[in-house]
Amino acid sequence: QAMKSCQVQGGGTGPAAPACWAACAEAIGWTVPMMSIGAGIVLVPSLGLLCLNACACAHPDTEVFTKASGSLRIAELQVNDEVATFDADNNIVFTRVQAVHSFVGNFSAVTINTDSHTITFTTTHHVFRLREGLREFTPAENIVVGDILLVHDEGRVTTEQVTSVQPVSLAKKVDVFTSACTILAGGVLVRTSCF
C-alpha cells in the first residue's frame, strides 16, 4: 500500500518527516506504531494512511489574515506568523503559528457556503457553530444548511447562516498548528491543531 506524501515546513519532505506524521497522529489522538529508518521515522503504512486521511485540514488556497503581511493563502503561512482569530469574548486577536504541514493525496472534504463566505475543509476539521447562543465545535461533515457560524466581516465579529454544503475532494490539504488552537480561515472561526 503506497503512502501519500507530505511536507513539513522546516522539517523535510516525504513520508519520513516525523513531525508531519506525529502531528497527524496527534490530530486524532492516536499513538501510532512507527518504524525507524535512518534519521527519519515512517508510519506503519496501514495505520499511516488512516491517520493521514483523518487529519483536520483546509484547502491550500484558504485565505487567512496575518498581522505582518495582511491576507495570505493558508499554504503560505510560516512558523511564527501571527494570524487572526477570535478570543472567548469574540474579540479579534492574533495567534502564533507553531507549525504548517501540507499533505498530497485524495481527501474527503466539504465546501461550506454562507451569504458572504466560502470555505473548504476536510470532513474531520472542526468548525465552530452557535447552538442556543453557545459556541460548539463540530466536524465540518456535520455542518448543515441553517447552522450559524461565527465569521469576520469588515473588521467585526458577526454570525452568518450556512446556505449550502457540498462534498468535494482535495488533492492537497494544509494543517496549521496555532497557540490559540483556533484561526479565522476564509473569515470563519475554525479549530487548528495545537501542541
Side-chain angles (χ1 to χ4, degrees), residues 16 60 85 97 124 167 188:
T85 190
V97 173
T124 56
V188 177

Short mmCIF file of all heavy atoms in Angstrom, two decimals, residues 16 60 85 97 124 167 188:
data_model
loop_
_atom_site.label_atom_id
_atom_site.label_comp_id
_atom_site.label_asym_id
_atom_site.label_seq_id
_atom_site.Cartn_x
_atom_site.Cartn_y
_atom_site.Cartn_z
N ALA A 16 9.06 10.32 5.44
CA ALA A 16 9.99 10.19 6.55
C ALA A 16 10.05 11.43 7.43
O ALA A 16 10.84 11.50 8.35
CB ALA A 16 11.40 9.89 6.02
N PRO A 60 -5.60 24.49 0.42
CA PRO A 60 -4.40 25.33 0.46
C PRO A 60 -4.63 26.79 0.08
O PRO A 60 -3.85 27.66 0.45
CB PRO A 60 -3.44 24.66 -0.50
CG PRO A 60 -4.21 23.64 -1.25
CD PRO A 60 -5.45 23.34 -0.48
N THR A 85 -7.70 35.43 14.78
CA THR A 85 -8.69 34.51 15.32
C THR A 85 -9.61 35.31 16.23
O THR A 85 -9.47 36.53 16.34
CB THR A 85 -8.02 33.33 16.07
OG1 THR A 85 -9.03 32.36 16.38
CG2 THR A 85 -7.32 33.77 17.33
N VAL A 97 1.58 31.02 14.75
CA VAL A 97 1.65 29.76 14.03
C VAL A 97 2.83 28.95 14.58
O VAL A 97 3.95 29.45 14.65
CB VAL A 97 1.83 29.99 12.51
CG1 VAL A 97 2.08 28.68 11.78
CG2 VAL A 97 0.62 30.71 11.95
N THR A 124 -13.20 16.03 8.71
CA THR A 124 -12.94 15.93 10.14
C THR A 124 -12.50 17.24 10.79
O THR A 124 -12.34 17.30 12.00
CB THR A 124 -11.85 14.87 10.42
OG1 THR A 124 -10.68 15.21 9.67
CG2 THR A 124 -12.33 13.48 10.04
N PRO A 167 -20.17 18.07 -0.77
CA PRO A 167 -18.99 17.20 -0.64
C PRO A 167 -18.05 17.43 -1.82
O PRO A 167 -18.50 17.61 -2.95
CB PRO A 167 -19.58 15.79 -0.66
CG PRO A 167 -20.91 15.93 -1.31
CD PRO A 167 -21.39 17.33 -1.08
N VAL A 188 -13.95 32.49 8.63
CA VAL A 188 -14.80 31.67 9.51
C VAL A 188 -13.95 31.11 10.65
O VAL A 188 -12.82 30.66 10.43
CB VAL A 188 -15.46 30.53 8.72
CG1 VAL A 188 -16.28 29.63 9.63
CG2 VAL A 188 -16.32 31.10 7.60
#
